[in-house]
Amino acid sequence: MSLWREYVFEKCESTNDLAKEYPPFSCVRALVQTKGRGRLGRVWSSEKGNLFVSYVFPPVCRPSDMSFVAAVGVALALKEYAPHLKWPNDVLIDGAKVCGILTETSFIGTKPEKTIVGIGVNIASSPKGEGILYKTACLNEKGASRTPEEVQGCLNEALTETFALYQKEGFEAIRQKWLSFALPKGQKIKVRLPDKEEEGLFLGINEDGSLILELKNKETRVISAGDVFMENEKNE
Ligand code: BTN
C-alpha cells in the first residue's frame, strides 16, 4: 500500500501553496501551474505535460535535510537516465537540468509543523531562452515517453524509501547517497552568491548539507545558499 494519499488538480497557482492545506503524507499534483515557483524567488515554468507535485512530510528536527532526502529520491526514481545531483538539489541528465526541488516549512510558533517538498520534472518540454539560468532538458528527449502519472508513481516509491532511510539512519546516510549521485569531487564550479561569484573545486557537502568549495588559493569556503554552475553550464 502506498504511503501517499494523492490529490490531483487540473490547474492551480502553485502545488506548494495547495499542499499546505493537507496533512502529512499527502501529495498534491496539478496538470498546470499558473504561478509555479522556483528557488530563490524565481518563476518555475509550468507547461502541461511536465510533472508538478508537492509532498507533505511530517515535522523533522532539521527541515533543511528534506531537500537532500528529496533530491536522492528523485535521483533514484530517474536512475535509468543516469542522473547527477548538483548542489543543493538540482537533478541533471547529461549536464542539463531536468528537475528542480523547492522545500518550504510551515511553523507553529518556532516549532516545525510540516515540510512541503515541491518537485518539478521536465518530461515533455523544458524552458529555454532568456531568463533561464541553466541548460535544461526534458525526459522525453532522452528517448523515453513517460507521463507525469508514471513519473510520479516512481517518485512516490523512491521518496518512501529515502524518507524511511532518513528516519532510521539520519542525515549522514542521506548525505552519502547524495554524494554517490553528485558531480565528481574536484569538478570546477562557479558559485553565484548574492554579492559575488566564487570559483573553485567542488569538494562535497558537510554534515549540515552546506557546499564545500576549494578556492584557487586552496582556502576552503563553506556555502549555505547560492547557485552552482559547472563550466559552460550557464544558459547564455
Ligand atoms: C528550482 O528552482 O529549481 C525549484 C523548482 C521547484 C518547482 C516545483 S513544481 C511543483 C512545486 N510547485 C511550485 O510552485 N514549485 C515546485
Side-chain angles (χ1 to χ4, degrees), residues 107-198:
F107 290 86
I108 299 178
T110 54
K111 220 172 140 214
E113 182 201 12
K114 51 195 174 188
T115 297
I116 312 295
V117 173
I119 300 175
V121 183
N122 299 332
I123 300 178
S125 65
S126 64
K128 310 267 184 213
E130 247 180 72
I132 306 299
L133 278 185
Y134 303 108
K135 276 189 190 161
T136 61
C138 64
L139 295 187
N140 288 355
E141 74 194 38
K142 302 289 168 196
S145 167
R146 309 276 294 273
T147 63
E149 291 86 331
E150 286 165 344
V151 176
Q152 190 193 342
C154 299
L155 261 182
N156 289 355
E157 276 181 37
L159 288 172
T160 303
E161 194 186 310
T162 49
F163 189 58
L165 177 70
Y166 175 65
Q167 285 188 305
K168 192 161 167 246
E169 296 183 26
F171 184 68
E172 182 52 24
I174 296 296
R175 191 178 80 93
Q176 291 302 335
K177 285 244 182 243
W178 190 95
L179 287 170
S180 73
F181 284 109
L183 301 169
K185 207 169 158 183
Q187 160 111 34
K188 232 175 163 179
I189 55 171
K190 280 189 184 152
V191 187
R192 187 183 289 174
L193 303 167
D195 52 337
K196 59 178 171 179
E197 213 167 76
E198 297 267 37

Side-chain angles (χ1 to χ4, degrees), residues 14-16 33 35-39 44 52-54 90 97 100-102 118-120:
S14 160
T15 55
N16 264 33
Q33 295 185 119
K35 284 191 186 160
R37 291 187 276 115
R39 282 180 63 236
W44 185 258
F52 316 108
V53 62
S54 298
D90 285 348
K97 178 164 171 169
I101 298 169
L102 178 67
I119 300 175

Side-chain angles (χ1 to χ4, degrees), residues 11-26:
K11 196 189 253 191
C12 71
E13 291 196 340
S14 160
T15 55
N16 264 33
D17 293 339
L18 261 188
K20 286 178 188 142
E21 311 302 321
Y22 289 83
F25 301 113
S26 306

Side-chain angles (χ1 to χ4, degrees), residues 42-96:
R42 290 192 281 262
V43 169
W44 185 258
S45 155
S46 302
E47 304 279 325
K48 198 164 185 164
N50 290 342
L51 175 64
F52 316 108
V53 62
S54 298
Y55 290 84
V56 186
F57 284 92
V60 295
C61 296
R62 206 170 59 173
S64 59
D65 291 354
M66 294 310 296
S67 291
F68 295 89
V69 170
V72 169
V74 175
L76 288 173
L78 302 182
K79 65 175 182 288
E80 67 194 87
Y81 299 96
H84 280 104
L85 295 178
K86 189 183 69 167
W87 186 84
N89 50 21
D90 285 348
V91 185
L92 313 182
I93 296 175
D94 298 330

Side-chain angles (χ1 to χ4, degrees), residues 40 42 87 189-200 211 213 215 217 219-229 234:
L40 306 174
R42 290 192 281 262
W87 186 84
I189 55 171
K190 280 189 184 152
V191 187
R192 187 183 289 174
L193 303 167
D195 52 337
K196 59 178 171 179
E197 213 167 76
E198 297 267 37
E199 207 175 316
L211 173 77
L213 180 73
L215 303 179
N217 64 9
E219 263 180 39
T220 300
R221 282 262 181 293
V222 175
I223 296 171
S224 58
D227 281 306
V228 169
F229 297 90
K234 276 190 193 169

